[in-house]
Amino acid sequence: GLVPLAGAKAQDYPTRAISMIVPFAAGGPTDTVARLIAESMSRSLGQQIVVENVGGAGGTRGAGQVAKATPDGYTILLHHIGQATSATLYRKLPYNVLTDFEEVGLVTDVPMTMIAKASLEPKDIAALVAYVKENKDKVIYGNAGVGSASHLCGMLFMSALGTPMTTVPYQGTGPAMNDLVGGQIDLMCDQTTNTTGQIKAGKVKAYAVTTKNRLKALPDVPTMQEGGVKDFEIAVWHGMYAPKGTPPAVVAKLNAALKQALQDPKVIARFADLGTEPVSQERATPEVHKAFVASEVAKWKPVIEQAGIFAD
Ligand code: MLT
């Protein structure tokens, strides 16, 4: 077929709406970050960015769709740490995490919270640890599938306790949260972008945050460390991607709009309410993002192999 006139097209880009694939169900934390960023980027690019939720297989179905899309800048991906962990968790991925994407830039690092249905008995994280060790796979843990951040946090928690739980996968932690609030499942580790509101409304019980220090947004929730769960630190970084081969001038335009969104007072304020903040302008470059993905794949590979949890 015709080789697209990259130069000319890139110069006019964007001339129509852009699709931003979110590889999890609507209403979850990834979707929340995506819609906030998309709304701000639409303004600076002068074209609508339409968020499309493509769930399944812990985020790898949506990521795969973008890897195979036409590299013209009209299909982009907003994904998180699962982009790096899935490289090891899925031994037969239909795409290569390190070579099938153009990184556009990092977006934000979101803390996680270990939360439970409001009626769960243990009164604090130390009691929860004893409860899970006692009840093992009678404890129902909800996540967004192997490769999701909630899966990774649960895997680390089960490894730290040396105890299995029964896990129930959802298309995203939006739907999983509905079942947690309804009491259908017992426990979930999810991002503050999804849990802060429910915790403050008393709809779920917050046992710990997964960061080194307590969060301004949730000052009364202790850290895992305080609760005696050592070396348990995880923050869910989010990044934006285009398919490999997207013209550099197009990637540069997307990156410029992303960097502008990360300085948008509305985005900053909303992120703060949700317990997070945009990455610095220095971190929001394609080069830094690309190097970071490679380092994260290398970081989590031995941890996942040691846990022995693979999706396929
Ligand atoms: C995850 O656990 O990876 C996310 O919370 C999924 C989502 O954004 O729904």
Side-chain angles (χ1 to χ4, degrees):
L2 277 177
V3 176
L5 292 174
K9 287 199 174 169
Q11 196 180 336
D12 309 338
Y13 173 87
T15 56
R16 56 185 166 82
I18 297 163
S19 166
M20 178 187 280
I21 303 279
V22 169
F24 296 101
T30 313
D31 188 59
T32 298
V33 168
R35 288 178 195 276
L36 278 170
I37 293 294
E39 197 270 328
S40 183
M41 285 178 69
S42 294
R43 282 204 300 274
S44 55
L45 288 170
Q47 289 293 342
Q48 194 57 32
I49 297 186
V50 180
V51 170
E52 281 184 64
N53 300 89
V54 179
T60 58
R61 202 164 74 81
Q65 193 168 304
V66 175
K68 303 264 181 295
T70 307
D72 57 9
Y74 291 101
T75 307
I76 57 179
L77 170 71
L78 196 293
H79 198 357
H80 59 37
I81 191 171
Q83 175 78 343
T85 57
S86 51
T88 304
L89 288 163
Y90 288 81
R91 292 174 285 198
K92 293 194 292 292
L93 267 186
Y95 58 88
N96 182 314
V97 165
L98 297 176
T99 58
D100 287 343
F101 297 89
E102 304 292 349
E103 280 76 11
V104 173
L106 291 166
V107 178
T108 180
D109 298 304
V110 182
M112 299 193 88
T113 49
M114 184 62 75
I115 57 174
K117 64 183 181 185
S119 61
L120 202 74
E121 302 82 44
K123 64 183 186 325
D124 59 23
I125 180 70
L128 176 70
V129 167
Y131 177 87
V132 173
K133 285 181 172 176
E134 172 75 27
N135 291 281
K136 301 185 192 313
D137 54 10
K138 284 203 287 296
V139 181
I140 312 296
Y141 177 86
N143 67 28
V146 176
S148 65
S150 44
H151 161 263
L152 181 64
C153 184
M155 185 186 88
L156 294 177
F157 191 61
M158 288 185 272
S159 295
L161 273 56
T163 317
M165 295 185 281
T166 296
T167 59
V168 177
Y170 291 78
Q171 292 287 304
T173 47
M177 177 65 86
N178 295 339
D179 278 5
L180 189 72
V181 169
Q184 277 78 31
I185 56 176
D186 298 322
L187 202 61
M188 180 163 78
C189 179
D190 194 16
Q191 299 172 64
T192 55
T193 31
N194 196 29
T195 62
T196 307
Q198 301 286 10
I199 293 169
K200 292 188 176 195
K203 294 282 183 42
V204 296
K205 200 172 200 173
Y207 281 101
V209 293
T210 63
T211 38
K212 205 178 202 53
N213 306 310
R214 292 195 181 201
L215 300 176
K216 281 194 297 293
L218 295 165
D220 307 333
V221 182
T223 65
M224 280 283 189
Q225 196 87 3
E226 287 176 73
V229 186
K230 296 273 167 269
D231 310 326
F232 196 111
E233 210 182 310
I234 172 173
V236 184
W237 54 271
H238 292 64
M240 191 175 293
Y241 306 82
K244 182 79 188 159
T246 302
V250 169
V251 172
K253 278 194 178 178
L254 285 165
N255 176 257
L258 169 62
K259 288 179 83 167
Q260 223 173 314
L262 296 175
Q263 290 180 303
D264 180 337
K266 246 184 81 183
V267 170
I268 295 170
R270 191 75 191 107
F271 274 12
D273 290 344
L274 296 171
T276 190
E277 60 184 6
V279 301
S280 67
Q281 294 287 295
E282 294 68 39
R283 276 191 76 201
T285 68
E287 300 73 24
V288 167
H289 185 189
K290 188 166 193 61
F292 187 65
V293 172
S295 71
E296 283 287 290
V297 170
K299 168 183 173 181
W300 290 106
K301 187 170 185 302
V303 176
I304 290 164
E305 286 170 345
Q306 199 268 325
I309 296 179
F310 298 100
D312 54 9

